[in-house]
């Protein structure tokens, strides 16, 4: 199958290596506004210079035979890139976060419905070993249906001066916590029903107005989740997936950097986690399989809109100082 990629920043170049290593795909064209990145792309992929273009529109014109578009631009460009690809009848794999704007998300949903093609969001955390094991253990009922979850994500993040991410108002929520909320939905199989959140500043050195958040997430079946996260606080940092404590009527689980520990009565058992590295290759494999099998992929657009709704509700709750109910999607 033939692919166009738009966006060749640092993360886009990581994606390029994944695509080049995959036997199911070959590049049809690439798009980046940077002349240096265009030259790099031509050298790395072997594409003709005219197929390493300055815009997605130009790449689509140069490679009308492409089957799909991989969108690895910053999230505030996703709507334009996704809708453009869909209007050309292409399948789309788009990096997270999908957007920071509910109206933009709905426009992408409408464009996908009109195109009748596949849109998958690249939430790679659910393809990591720990997430797969947690879903299996929770879904298998070893601790009973979860009743209380505490989820903490604390990573001191810094970007170079001039980086666009330094201008975000709610950086941890928009740029990272779609991962944790997607995992929460994936591991438990439950959807959120309401959110009460506070977003706040930090005395730690940080360029952001609100680098931290604390929230109560009310989920289906009476499941209550306390969630806290920050990009500012430098000590006692967590793994990228977060530190999880999951309690049910027949036991409890702790998922942290050591692995997954099962607590049941006097029993305490450490379960090894196979890997915690980024798994962009598994994201691409799932996208590929969905296209080949004619089915919806894991983390398709409709699924990811439920994750995005929780993140945006936390922002609204913090701004409005009130509980936000989530409608069925």
């Amino acid at each position: 199958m033939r692919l166009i990629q738009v966006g060749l920043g640092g993360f886009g170049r990581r994606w390029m290596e994944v695509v080049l290593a995959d036997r199911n795909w070959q590049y049809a064209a690439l798009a980046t506004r940077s002349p240096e990145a265009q030259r790099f792309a031509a050298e790395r992929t072997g594409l003709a210079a005219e197929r390493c273009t300055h815009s997605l529109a130009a790449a689509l014109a140069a490679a009308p035979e492409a089957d799909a578009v991989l969108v690895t631009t910053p999230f505030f460009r996703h709507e334009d890139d996704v809708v453009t690809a869909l209007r050309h009848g292409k399948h789309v794999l788009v990096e997270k976060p999908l957007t920071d704007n509910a109206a933009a998300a709905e426009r992408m949903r409408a464009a996908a419905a009109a195109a009748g093609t596949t849109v998958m969001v690249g939430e790679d955390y659910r393809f990591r070993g720990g997430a797969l094991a947690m879903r299996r253990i929770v879904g298998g009922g070893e601790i009973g249906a979860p009743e209380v979850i505490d989820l903490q994500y604390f990573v001191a993040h810094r970007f170079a001066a001039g980086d666009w991410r330094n201008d975000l108002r709610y950086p941890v929520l928009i740029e990272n916590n779609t991962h944790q909320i997607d995992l929460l939905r994936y591991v438990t199989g439950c959807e959120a029903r309401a959110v009460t959140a506070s977003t706040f500043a930090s005395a730690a050195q940080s360029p952001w107005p609100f680098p931290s958040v604390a929230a109560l997430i009310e989920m289906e079946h009476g499941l209550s989740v306390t969630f806290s996260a920050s990009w500012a606080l430098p000590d006692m940092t967590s793994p990228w997936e977060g530190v999880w404590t999951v309690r049910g009527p027949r036991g409890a689980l702790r998922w942290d950097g050591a692995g997954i520990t099962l607590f049941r009565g006097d029993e305490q058992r450490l379960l090894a986690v196979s890997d915690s590295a980024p798994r962009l290759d598994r994201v691409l494999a799932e996208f590929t399989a969905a296209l080949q099998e004619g089915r919806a992929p894991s983390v398709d657009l409709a699924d990811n809109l439920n994750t995005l709704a929780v993140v945006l509700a936390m922002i609204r709750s913090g701004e409005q100082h009130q509980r936000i109910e989530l409608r069925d999607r």
Side-chain angles (χ1 to χ4, degrees):
M1 292 182 285
R2 292 154 296 187
L3 185 71
I4 293 172
Q5 181 175 339
V6 54
L8 279 177
F11 209 72
R13 296 189 188 198
R14 286 171 57 188
W15 262 109
M16 176 183 285
E17 298 306 315
V18 172
V19 173
L20 290 171
D22 192 293
R23 293 179 297 174
N24 294 291
W25 292 93
Q26 64 181 28
Y27 276 115
L30 293 115
T32 172
R33 293 180 293 177
S34 164
E36 181 277 327
Q38 291 172 30
R39 291 190 293 271
F40 169 82
E43 293 172 2
R44 185 68 186 89
T45 65
L47 283 172
E50 61 267 20
R51 287 180 175 251
C52 297
T53 67
H54 66 281
S55 69
L56 178 55
L60 288 161
E65 75 279 8
D67 299 290
V69 173
L70 170 60
V71 178
T72 56
T73 49
F75 70 81
F76 50 81
R77 293 188 55 85
H78 285 178
E79 180 186 0
D80 286 346
D81 293 331
V82 169
V83 171
T84 296
L86 290 171
R87 287 177 177 168
H88 283 78
K90 309 303 181 186
H91 302 292
V92 176
L93 174 56
V94 55
E95 252 304 325
K96 52 65 57 187
L98 179 65
T99 180
D100 66 346
N101 184 292
E106 291 302 323
R107 288 191 290 269
M108 283 186 269
R109 184 211 290 268
T117 55
T118 296
V119 181
M120 179 175 173
V121 182
E123 291 282 1
D124 79 286
Y125 281 31
R126 70 162 65 183
F127 295 94
R128 300 182 182 191
L132 297 171
M134 284 288 288
R135 179 177 170 89
R136 183 175 64 253
I137 296 166
V138 171
E142 288 201 54
I143 64 169
E147 297 180 6
V148 178
I149 295 178
D150 178 68
L151 172 52
Q152 300 181 15
Y153 167 86
F154 287 85
V155 174
H157 234 330
R158 296 292 183 270
F159 298 97
D163 191 294
W164 60 268
R165 285 163 292 197
N166 289 330
D167 296 326
L168 295 176
R169 189 169 177 82
Y170 303 101
V172 69
L173 278 167
I174 294 300
E175 269 290 291
N176 227 111
N177 291 156
T178 58
H179 280 314
Q180 284 73 40
I181 301 304
D182 179 71
L183 283 179
L184 185 62
R185 296 177 51 247
Y186 177 70
V187 166
T188 65
C190 296
E191 298 294 351
R193 292 301 181 217
V195 169
T196 307
S198 295
T199 53
F200 47 95
S202 174
Q205 185 175 5
S206 164
W208 301 294
F210 300 104
S212 306
V213 60
L216 171 65
I217 306 172
E218 303 167 49
M219 302 190 74
E220 293 176 309
H221 313 304
L223 174 59
S224 180
V225 179
T226 54
F227 174 71
S228 54
S230 179
W231 263 7
L233 301 173
D235 297 311
M236 290 184 66
T237 56
S238 71
W240 289 98
E241 297 89 346
V243 173
W244 297 57
T245 304
V246 184
R247 291 182 168 87
R250 295 199 294 274
L253 295 167
R254 179 183 295 125
W255 179 22
D256 55 25
I260 299 170
T261 305
L262 172 65
F263 300 85
R264 191 161 46 196
D266 294 331
E267 176 189 8
Q268 180 175 327
R269 181 159 46 100
L270 179 64
L271 310 173
V273 174
S274 60
D275 65 77
S276 59
R279 295 313 306 249
L280 302 183
D281 57 333
R282 291 181 182 170
V283 174
L284 185 59
E286 170 62 13
F287 182 63
T288 305
L291 298 186
Q292 292 173 337
E293 297 165 13
R295 60 170 173 82
S298 176
V299 212
D300 67 0
L301 180 63
D303 179 87
N304 194 249
L305 290 180
N306 289 319
T307 291
L308 182 63
V310 178
V311 171
L312 296 182
M314 282 195 272
I315 293 174
R316 286 178 55 207
S317 179
E319 290 176 340
Q320 299 174 10
H321 307 289
Q322 64 181 13
R323 177 176 177 270
I324 302 295
E325 293 190 359
L326 295 162
R327 61 180 177 85
D328 291 329
R329 306 191 66 82

